[in-house]
Amino acid sequence: MIPSEIATSIGPTLTKKESHLWEIDLSNLRIFFGLSILSRSLSEEITNNLHSLPGDISFIQKINPNINHELIDMHISYVQVHARSGILNDWLLFRDQFEEDLRSVFGTFQRQSIAKKLHPEFYGEDPKLNPSIALLFPFYKNRSDADGRYQILMERVTSQINVGDFFIRITIDAIDFSVLNLNGIKHEVVDEIGKRTYIAGASKISESLNNSIIGAAQKGETFFEEENRHFSKVFEQLEKTPVGKLTHIHFYWEDSFRTMILATDPQNTLPLMKKLFLLLEDADISQTIKEGHTILAKLGRAQVYVELSRLDRVLNFSFNRKRTQIDSGFYLRRMPILEAIADKKEHSHNFENTHIFLIHHITSEIISMIETLRRLEIKSLDVAFVKYGGNIPPVYLDILLDIPTESFFMAGLEFKLTKNNRPYYGLSPLYSDSSPHRKFAAKLEEAKFGFFDAMKYLATNLFLNKLFKLRKTGEKILLVEDGGYVAPIINQRCKENKTIGEIASEFWADCPSEFSSEELSSFISKTVIGTVEHTRNGFDRLKKTAGVENQLTLPAFTIAVSNEKTKEESKEVAFSILNAIENSLHGLGKVLSKRKILLLGSLGNIGGFLNTYLVDGRLHESNRVISQIDLKFEKDGSHQYSGFSKLPAEEFLRIDLIIGVTGESVLKQKDWENWILNSENPNLYVASGSTKTAEFTDLIEWLSDLYQSAAPAVGGIPIQLVIDRIIDPQTGMDLGGKVSFLFESGNKPIEKTFFLLSDGSPINFLFYGVPTESMDPIITQLTTVALGMVALYKTNSLPTPALYAVDHQIDKWGNPL
């Protein structure tokens, strides 16, 4: 039977209030600071004595009122330590353990039920009725090794000098040859040592977090996030408790708490923070949190809800009010067109008994799509998230990691830098448990791929692994993707007559031996219903693979060239690209209106609107001419050219911002070298608005080579590189890479600074991408065409394997036009 009350090591009882809610009142808990510092100081003095004295260890140390003023307030002014010679032999082997044990000893001051026996009057007890008794700590128990087999006796002793003052006597006693006459010393054994894990440096940690929360509150914010970085003390200490390894700690608060902490001296709010860590030190409390329960801790001037989220990776503290837990339905309600499909208001289709592998961006609209797929009875969903730059809002991960893992798996990449600042992508730890994919993660880390290659390998590897599982059960899967990462590869390898074993080896997947020699086309046809593509780049790749005969291994439906997507979405994408560029420039103290711009792909769906919005709105009257390049220009001149080679050199060297939306790497190494060496401008900016990092592949590869070179040179001229990141001064957001080129020209020192916004990936995804209102009909169309493909499969009505575009060969349900 589960108890309704749990006695805790810190004194107050943990009481069950609801199914998953427990409460503890710490309002009157006395808080002590600097106990870890005192323990370390005594440990250092023991070391000094061992090195300098031949006999027993015996010394007395004055309490520092600036560090342990709570002890001074209790009229404890000194600590005396005594250990007979021989007890601390092999001290160096167990010093750290001893110091931790000493923290446990002094930590009892925080435990009212025990501390009042040592120091009764200061915990509300009458010393005449309940005189002070010693506390005995049998640390030798449960230790099989010879080292550390000791016990510690802590006594409160009356000062011989000052009436009313005391000192603490610490006696370290060997269990094998004890000299203490414990029968003559009134004492109590403190043997619940394992119930508490003392967090070293909790006072400093509390102070740091307290200051960070106050700083965030001063900015008007209601949230603060602490991330687990290398050598993070707080996470290192918390990992020793039952809550285990964390990636983040989140603090939430509402207006009354914000008002309180801003009107209060930081020293007076510090005890609130310290109480949070005292909670976690108790093994029963930490274990209760780990088991999925919420703790409501009353702190006096505030109360806090403590819970774990995101597969127990994030610890949440919510002051005065439990954090609002938004679910995926919240975002779906913002998309009424898609919600109608989710609720079957205009159709009767579903995804029953169907698995889906989805490759798409991590946005609120895709969270809405995931909710729609689940409402439409999908059997399982695997997602490879496309993540370029910017930060993932914590609420997105909270929602996604609350979806039952038996029917949902997700993975993604994280941006990383080598020691010489070369950017690459590795497997991110933020999503589902990636431990089954350790082998793949190691290979990806070793490969140091750029974004597109890393994403291609991740998605294809996960897709193949899913196929192997489904082949054994005979179930079917649908591939839905944004960007042509997998479908063009699968179809191309089928045309090359590859086996499933060969493509598995290529993408580091472990192919079951019984399938390895089977033809890929045969294997795929037995498991995959078909593919659905979102983007123009993916459409173009599939079209190239299909060839003039338009032949594929699988039916491929696409919304890439639908009327809705090419007209309406392109306008909003153009707006979002310009918005992102402007925000990035503003963080650098620059404006878009003064830039001399080269637009690559100016007659495309997005490029055309970019051109219009720049000339008619974003640029000032004196700067309304931009240089344009597009293959569709029939005549070169008037700042419009059919190829980069047609652009006059003098015009190019006036440019200081290049915006690319072609999906192809137009400029080559020699062009970038010319721009850096000969441009009229000291600062040069590059921004991509096209899918993935294809827009500036040559640039990214060239910069990577320069980063790794022992003697970097540009156009044969030796240079010095200064590599940095573009950090927004207000938000701290990483906006891309910055490289300064230092060289000499005509015996004159020259410096050119190159700003690769969003590291060459689509810049609009640094912020919000395309707003929800505009994406609603697009994501709806992606969903309906997927539903239609499954419905056609179920009625044996799928068309022959080829490429079919919405509004051209099929309607939004996949039916032929």
Side-chain angles (χ1 to χ4, degrees), residues 329-349:
F330 168 83
Y331 291 110
L332 183 56
R333 287 189 291 274
R334 303 196 310 175
M335 300 176 71
I337 305 173
L338 182 61
E339 187 176 29
I341 298 299
D343 294 338
K344 297 186 179 181
K345 291 186 176 178
E346 58 175 279
H347 69 94
S348 58
H349 302 309

Side-chain angles (χ1 to χ4, degrees), residues 634-682:
E634 296 180 356
K635 184 179 179 181
D636 298 314
S638 301
H639 306 288
Q640 297 176 340
Y641 309 97
S642 59
F644 180 76
S645 62
K646 308 292 178 63
L647 176 68
E650 63 275 12
E651 186 173 341
F652 175 52
L653 297 178
R654 288 195 294 268
I655 300 296
D656 65 354
L657 168 61
I658 298 176
I659 303 174
V661 286
T662 65
E664 300 290 340
S665 189
V666 175
L667 276 69
K668 305 303 178 184
Q669 176 180 331
K670 61 180 179 58
D671 305 314
W672 299 113
E673 291 182 327
N674 179 32
W675 200 35
I676 289 166
L677 293 175
N678 302 309
S679 173
E680 300 174 2
N681 307 291

Side-chain angles (χ1 to χ4, degrees), residues 530-799:
T531 69
V532 177
E533 174 57 52
H534 185 142
T535 66
R536 180 60 189 251
N537 278 349
F539 169 80
D540 289 342
R541 286 188 175 87
L542 279 169
K543 190 174 181 180
K544 181 179 180 181
T545 302
V548 293
E549 306 88 358
N550 194 18
Q551 290 182 351
L552 297 170
T553 301
L554 296 165
F557 289 179
T558 177
I559 67 167
V561 290
S562 70
N563 296 334
E564 183 72 47
K565 193 168 190 316
T566 55
K567 294 178 181 177
E568 298 306 316
E569 186 192 24
S570 295
K571 295 177 184 177
E572 299 303 335
V573 170
F575 269 124
S576 67
I577 290 170
L578 294 180
N579 174 65
I581 292 174
E582 282 193 305
N583 277 312
S584 299
L585 289 173
H586 290 172
L588 293 165
K590 302 294 183 179
V591 293
L592 179 60
S593 59
K594 290 182 177 293
R595 306 277 66 81
K596 300 298 181 182
I597 298 172
L598 171 62
L599 178 59
L600 307 174
S602 61
L603 294 183
N605 290 330
I606 297 172
F609 290 114
L610 279 173
N611 183 40
T612 299
Y613 300 151
L614 281 167
V615 174
D616 294 342
R618 292 303 211 276
L619 301 181
H620 289 172
E621 294 82 357
S622 59
N623 184 36
R624 284 194 170 174
V625 175
I626 65 175
S627 301
Q628 305 175 49
I629 292 177
D630 198 292
L631 294 173
K632 297 175 185 175
F633 283 121
E634 296 180 356
K635 184 179 179 181
D636 298 314
S638 301
H639 306 288
Q640 297 176 340
Y641 309 97
S642 59
F644 180 76
S645 62
K646 308 292 178 63
L647 176 68
E650 63 275 12
E651 186 173 341
F652 175 52
L653 297 178
R654 288 195 294 268
I655 300 296
D656 65 354
L657 168 61
I658 298 176
I659 303 174
V661 286
T662 65
E664 300 290 340
S665 189
V666 175
L667 276 69
K668 305 303 178 184
Q669 176 180 331
K670 61 180 179 58
D671 305 314
W672 299 113
E673 291 182 327
N674 179 32
W675 200 35
I676 289 166
L677 293 175
N678 302 309
S679 173
E680 300 174 2
N681 307 291
N683 296 319
L684 306 171
Y685 308 91
V686 175
S688 171
S690 66
T691 305
K692 298 173 280 296
T693 51
E695 193 70 37
F696 300 115
T697 300
D698 286 85
L699 169 62
I700 293 169
E701 291 178 353
W702 173 59
L703 288 175
S704 294
D705 291 340
L706 281 179
Y707 297 157
Q708 298 176 78
S709 174
V714 174
I717 297 176
I719 60 163
Q720 179 183 347
L721 290 175
V722 179
I723 303 165
D724 204 351
R725 304 298 298 167
I726 308 169
I727 305 298
D728 185 273
Q730 284 193 335
T731 65
M733 185 175 173
D734 191 327
L735 302 177
K738 179 173 73 171
V739 187
S740 292
F741 297 81
L742 286 71
F743 56 94
E744 288 191 359
S745 178
N747 295 321
K748 179 181 179 183
I750 303 291
E751 180 176 344
K752 297 286 180 70
T753 302
F754 195 93
F755 298 86
L756 186 57
L757 305 180
S758 194
D759 295 294
S761 62
I763 191 169
N764 49 320
F765 285 101
L766 270 179
F767 297 92
Y768 293 100
V770 179
T772 299
E773 189 173 12
S774 298
M775 288 305 295
D776 190 4
I778 304 298
I779 299 301
T780 299
Q781 200 171 81
L782 189 66
T783 304
T784 58
V785 79
L787 268 172
M789 177 173 276
V790 171
L792 291 170
Y793 165 75
K794 289 179 178 178
T795 58
N796 295 315
S797 305
L798 274 175

Side-chain angles (χ1 to χ4, degrees), residues 499-502 511-519:
T499 64
I500 184 67
E502 287 174 321
C511 179
S513 57
E514 63 266 33
F515 303 138
S516 60
S517 60
E518 184 174 346
E519 289 294 322

